């Protein structure tokens, strides 16, 4: 059995300073709930803009020689 490192897909989102805190929270919550993203980092700059780093796991399925997934991989 080998241990594999977890791979993540990363998305950087720049948020305008005119967005309220409620609007930012709603946007990030929707991304997490419907897109499978999690907030990795949120930074606010002096000019009021925010930058959010979001990530989600990359799930890879190993396949047998005949193209079907292994039963152990589906758990």
């Amino acid at each position: 059995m080998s241990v594999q490192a977890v791979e993540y897909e990363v998305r950087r989102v720049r948020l305008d300073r005119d967005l309220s805190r409620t609007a930012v929270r709603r946007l990030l919550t929707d991304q997490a709930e419907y897109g499978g993203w999690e907030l990795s980092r949120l930074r606010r700059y002096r000019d009021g803009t925010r930058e959010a780093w979001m990530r989600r796991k990359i799930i890879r399925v190993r396949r047998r020689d005949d193209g079907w997934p292994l039963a152990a991989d589906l758990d």
Side-chain angles (χ1 to χ4, degrees), residues 4-10 55-60:
Q4 296 179 356
V6 177
E7 293 183 56
Y8 289 99
E9 175 183 359
V10 178
R55 68 181 188 176
R56 64 180 169 189
K57 282 185 184 179
I58 297 173
I59 300 172
R60 301 197 190 281

Side-chain angles (χ1 to χ4, degrees), residues 2-66:
S2 64
V3 177
Q4 296 179 356
V6 177
E7 293 183 56
Y8 289 99
E9 175 183 359
V10 178
R11 177 189 290 180
R12 236 170 69 182
V13 181
R14 188 78 169 198
L15 303 166
D16 194 17
R17 67 181 184 168
D18 296 333
L19 290 174
S20 67
R21 180 183 286 182
T22 305
V24 170
R25 186 185 70 223
R26 187 178 307 128
L27 181 128
L28 296 176
T29 301
D30 287 346
Q31 289 295 316
E33 191 169 339
Y34 301 114
W37 293 93
E38 63 182 33
L39 182 63
S40 177
R41 181 178 180 178
L42 180 63
R43 186 170 190 180
R44 186 169 181 176
Y45 295 100
R46 288 183 181 210
D47 64 355
T49 60
R50 296 175 182 98
E51 195 168 23
W53 283 265
M54 305 187 76
R55 68 181 188 176
R56 64 180 169 189
K57 282 185 184 179
I58 297 173
I59 300 172
R60 301 197 190 281
V61 177
R62 292 184 302 168
R63 301 211 174 252
R64 297 190 318 199
D65 292 337
D66 61 0

